[in-house]
Amino acid sequence: MTPAESFLDCSAALLDRVRAQLPAIQQTADLFAQTILAGQMVHVFGSGHSRILVEEMWPRYGSFPGFNPIVELSLTFHNLVVGANGQRQAMFLENVSGLASRILRNFDLKAGDSALVVSSSGCNVVPVEMAEEFQRRGVKVVALISKDHAEASTSRHPAGKKLQDFADIILDTGAPIGDAMVKIEGLETPVAPGSTIGGCLIVNAVKAEIAQRLTQAGQPPKVLTAGVLVGAQKATEIFEAAYDEHARRIAPYYQGLGA
């Protein structure tokens, strides 16, 4: 078997791991749809490479308003690797206690809000404290982790807590310990991670379920759609309407700050 075939087989197994979580996916969709139908926001946070799943949720083609993507550049700006704004700084900041509360100081969270916090290991300080702070402020939390990896990892949280300790619902990407899935003969460590694949499957499964719930409730979402499907003019109209809706939804989260 070639390395590519091995990776594809492992990826197919992730699909089965996600399918086995359909009850939790449905429960998550119920929670998030309830928030969106109330005119409120589902807050989505991820540090490091977990920001990929934040952006997968919103805004991109096939997604819709109702989500507040919280992405800090200081924790996620990886492309420079070294030097100013490099990876070393991002990895350091990801484990600075208190940063999560400073981030959420920017939002006047509401009763009835919900949140998705993504962390493959579930052990870095900022995502753990983010979930902890959400729960402290009455926001229900869904944690998206790589369960095997998280359980095998050591928490850096001051009290030894992990992301799953502050979650109302736990979803699992299915990625293995260490994330990488392919072993190469003569190479000491595996390559080709799986958490993004499993995470994208879960995020979009949840998104599809939410869209059905919103539509059945008489509030069909404004789905960002390519012009090749609906024509350039219609696509532009949808994008503008969706962005305007996002602006209206997010505005109340700033209005009450400091009051």
Side-chain angles (χ1 to χ4, degrees), residues 154-179:
T154 300
S155 174
R156 298 185 178 185
H157 184 270
K161 299 291 187 180
K162 298 183 179 182
L163 176 54
Q164 52 267 45
D165 293 321
F166 299 105
D168 298 281
I169 302 172
I170 300 171
L171 297 172
D172 176 21
T173 68
I177 297 172
D179 206 348

Side-chain angles (χ1 to χ4, degrees), residues 4 13 62 84 137 139 155 168 183 228 235:
R137 294 170 67 172
V139 175
S155 174
D168 298 281
K183 295 181 180 179
V228 70

Side-chain angles (χ1 to χ4, degrees), residues 187-209:
L187 182 61
E188 183 178 2
T189 54
V191 299
S195 60
T196 303
I197 295 169
C200 283
L201 289 170
I202 287 175
V203 162
N204 283 293
V206 169
K207 190 191 303 179
E209 290 287 338

Side-chain angles (χ1 to χ4, degrees), residues 12 36-37 41 50-51 83 88-89 98 101 110 139 142 158 171 180 186-187 194 236:
I36 295 172
L37 287 169
M41 286 290 216
S50 294
R51 75 165 289 167
R88 292 185 179 95
Q89 298 94 300
S101 65
K110 314 293 184 184
V139 175
V142 177
L171 297 172
L187 182 61
T236 298

Side-chain angles (χ1 to χ4, degrees), residues 99-194:
L99 180 55
S101 65
R102 296 308 297 166
I103 295 170
L104 288 184
R105 173 62 179 81
N106 293 286
F107 303 101
D108 180 21
L109 301 179
K110 314 293 184 184
D113 288 355
S114 51
L116 175 67
V117 180
V118 187
S119 173
S120 190
S121 73
C123 289
N124 288 316
V125 170
V126 173
V128 176
E129 290 191 349
M130 184 67 70
E132 183 179 15
E133 182 69 10
F134 273 132
Q135 283 196 334
R136 188 185 71 80
R137 294 170 67 172
V139 175
K140 290 189 176 180
V141 174
V142 177
L144 178 53
I145 61 174
S146 296
K147 189 174 181 180
D148 290 345
H149 183 56
E151 291 179 350
S153 300
T154 300
S155 174
R156 298 185 178 185
H157 184 270
K161 299 291 187 180
K162 298 183 179 182
L163 176 54
Q164 52 267 45
D165 293 321
F166 299 105
D168 298 281
I169 302 172
I170 300 171
L171 297 172
D172 176 21
T173 68
I177 297 172
D179 206 348
M181 302 192 296
V182 178
K183 295 181 180 179
I184 305 295
E185 185 176 354
L187 182 61
E188 183 178 2
T189 54
V191 299

Side-chain angles (χ1 to χ4, degrees), residues 67-97:
F67 304 94
N68 175 26
I70 303 174
V71 173
E72 289 285 312
L73 286 179
S74 62
L75 300 171
T76 60
F77 194 49
H78 290 162
N79 61 297
L80 295 179
V81 186
V82 297
N85 302 298
Q87 184 76 348
R88 292 185 179 95
Q89 298 94 300
M91 294 176 69
F92 176 84
L93 291 172
E94 195 172 30
N95 286 291
V96 172
S97 182

